[in-house]
Amino acid sequence: MQRRRFLGLAAAAGALGLTAGLTGCSSLTGGDGDVTLKLVAADYDLTGGDSTKKYWAGLVAAFEAKNPGVKVQVQIESWNDVDRKVAELVKAGQAPDLAQIGAYADYAAAGKLYSADELLSIPVQANFLAPLVSAGEYKRTQYGMPFVASTRLLFYNKELFEKAGVAEPPTTWDELAAAAGKLRKKGVTYPFALPLGPEEAQAETMMWLLSGGGGYTDGTDRYKIDSEANVRTFDWLRTHLVGEGLTGPVAPGKLNRKEAFAAFSRGEVGMLNGHPSLMQEAEKQGIKVGKVALPGSDGKAKATMGVADWIMGFKQNGHRKEIGAFLDFVFSDENVLRFAGDNDLLPATITASLAMQSAPEHASLREFLEALPDSQLPPVGKTSWAQVSSSVKAEIGKAVEPGAKPSEVLGRLAREATTAESAE
């Protein structure tokens, strides 16, 4: 009861802070005429609908009603195009005031962004989940503000488990391999789907590195892709999963995440690493989805991978106060919860996460919410990450091919990463 009371007081204090920050917004322009902010944002509607447009339209209308003199124009672009469109605008000297996209580090390094503390009220900035704050920092200053988040769990098909005689979901790698062996004997197409194809191999790789006690970087935040722990992880994958025929008919280096997820929703996959949107889609297709923390080499993994999309404010047009007021409004619990809930994603703020955890309609997301505060994100604060990520996507599948030496593949990637890092 004391904990609940404390959390309730914290949420109330945060709400009061947000209210105070917004109350003074009516005179933001100081009588100098209207200001129009331009926001370029990503489209999260996977079905081709207009839910993202409706969300921003409603939010902007509410904000403008409270802030006379400030207008917001929103341009929605698909995820295939949005990062490129923003980059083209910036290069042409026409940077938007705000961008909600996939990466911020290059713009921060070029001095084009306001820092979070230049924009946000103190209660809003203090309300982000800790791992997302760290991931939003470039050279220890936060420029990327986490707009929405996700994390990963081990998904399994309950009906296939029952048919194969697997009583409990695995908690260790050995248990995972044993379960996959039973699934294979029952004719399951993909006992464990391992998508190391170029679509999103960097994410699947990070999940496995973390579960083996490693990661892309070491304790000093320097790349260490060929660490002993990482080599051990890929040796195990090559020998005990791929080498035993437990990953299905498509070589992991040629299997993309989209294809693996579609196969899971068709009932052809026993296990894979998944996120909330897959859970919702699979259940719509009648799959009984089980989900647990990712297994580690000798027990539950010490951390899982977190993911965030970012929103940032550009300096070019000089609208710092107006951008800050708008972002304070964006990060109110009401708006954060609406967007995350509508898109089967996780809030990036503490108070909204607590609210979602206690909401019956979001019960299926609780395991993801519980994993997020202790998650680790890719090194997105490094300007070299885009290059390193691209190399991992292209090469990591080779580490589990028959006869491959993971140490050699990881060694090449490590040398490339070190070179890219030195150029930062």
Side-chain angles (χ1 to χ4, degrees):
M1 289 296 293
Q2 287 180 335
R3 181 175 181 271
R4 289 182 181 177
R5 182 173 180 273
F6 171 78
L7 295 175
L9 290 172
L16 286 173
L18 292 177
T19 302
L22 293 169
T23 302
C25 291
S26 59
S27 59
L28 277 171
T29 58
D32 295 331
D34 288 354
V35 167
T36 298
L37 300 177
K38 181 174 181 180
L39 163 65
V40 180
D43 188 355
Y44 286 77
D45 197 320
L46 301 178
T47 62
D50 60 357
S51 62
T52 300
K53 291 180 180 178
K54 286 182 177 179
Y55 171 81
W56 283 114
L59 185 150
V60 166
F63 173 78
E64 290 179 349
K66 292 185 177 183
N67 297 272
V70 183
K71 304 295 181 183
V72 184
Q73 293 180 350
V74 183
Q75 176 181 336
I76 306 296
E77 299 285 350
S78 75
W79 270 113
N80 292 333
D81 300 324
V82 67
D83 289 276
R84 176 178 56 81
K85 290 283 183 75
V86 170
E88 289 172 352
L89 288 170
V90 173
K91 186 176 181 179
Q94 300 172 358
D97 295 285
L98 298 119
Q100 188 273 298
I101 52 179
Y104 67 87
D106 285 346
Y107 301 122
K112 296 184 180 297
L113 300 180
Y114 289 114
S115 64
D117 58 7
E118 290 178 302
L119 297 173
L120 302 175
S121 63
I122 292 173
V124 172
Q125 188 177 3
N127 198 26
F128 293 124
L129 290 161
L132 306 183
V133 173
S134 298
E137 292 179 345
Y138 173 73
K139 293 189 175 179
R140 304 197 177 191
T141 297
Q142 185 183 2
Y143 294 94
M145 287 153 281
F147 178 67
V148 73
S150 182
T151 189
R152 302 292 189 264
L153 295 173
L154 177 72
F155 284 21
Y156 62 97
N157 184 313
K158 290 183 177 181
E159 290 184 347
L160 293 180
F161 263 44
E162 184 176 351
K163 290 177 182 177
V166 182
E168 298 290 339
T171 60
T172 68
W173 288 356
D174 287 345
E175 290 177 4
L176 186 148
K182 291 180 179 180
L183 290 162
R184 183 189 59 185
K185 288 179 181 178
K186 288 296 181 179
V188 175
T189 306
Y190 294 91
F192 186 95
L194 183 65
L196 294 177
E199 180 192 353
E200 206 191 21
Q202 85 288 355
E204 185 73 18
T205 296
M206 183 170 179
M207 287 181 254
W208 281 100
L209 297 184
L210 291 173
S211 71
Y216 282 118
T217 57
D218 61 18
T220 64
D221 198 35
R222 310 290 291 182
Y223 288 116
K224 191 62 177 174
I225 297 177
D226 61 346
S227 68
E228 289 185 10
N230 292 347
V231 170
R232 238 183 352 257
T233 294
F234 270 84
D235 275 334
W236 187 89
L237 284 172
R238 184 185 61 80
T239 302
H240 297 283
L241 278 190
V242 182
E244 294 294 329
L246 302 178
T247 54
V250 180
K254 297 185 181 299
L255 181 65
N256 282 321
R257 183 190 66 165
K258 184 178 180 180
E259 296 158 358
F261 281 12
F264 186 83
S265 295
R266 293 194 302 266
E268 298 173 2
V269 175
M271 297 175 282
L272 52 58
N273 296 326
H275 59 50
S277 297
L278 171 62
M279 175 189 66
Q280 302 291 352
E281 180 59 30
E283 289 177 345
K284 287 178 185 177
Q285 301 302 319
I287 304 300
K288 294 182 179 178
V289 181
K291 50 191 185 299
V292 293
L294 301 181
S297 55
D298 55 5
K300 177 183 173 183
K302 295 180 177 60
T304 186
M305 185 188 74
V307 178
D309 298 328
W310 307 96
I311 193 165
M312 60 212 70
F314 284 85
K315 291 179 178 180
Q316 181 175 316
N317 301 318
H319 296 149
R320 183 182 65 82
K321 290 182 180 180
E322 294 83 1
I323 294 170
F326 182 69
L327 288 173
D328 274 359
F329 191 74
V330 166
F331 287 114
S332 67
D333 281 355
E334 178 184 0
N335 290 323
V336 170
L337 283 167
R338 182 183 299 120
F339 191 87
D342 287 350
N343 292 281
D344 300 320
L345 293 167
L346 308 182
T349 64
I350 297 168
T351 51
S353 293
L354 292 170
M356 183 175 273
Q357 283 189 41
S358 63
E361 64 268 29
H362 297 305
S364 62
L365 294 175
R366 284 177 187 157
E367 291 95 337
F368 296 99
L369 288 162
E370 290 167 1
L372 186 58
D374 296 321
S375 65
Q376 291 186 26
L377 278 76
V380 292
K382 292 177 173 291
T383 57
S384 58
W385 172 239
Q387 180 180 340
V388 172
S389 173
S390 179
S391 296
V392 172
K393 289 179 182 182
E395 298 294 324
I396 197 63
K398 297 175 182 177
V400 295
E401 291 177 351
K405 292 184 178 179
S407 60
E408 293 181 355
V409 177
L410 294 177
R412 288 198 303 272
L413 290 169
R415 289 190 292 274
E416 292 177 16
T418 299
T419 300
E421 188 173 45
S422 65
E424 285 186 320

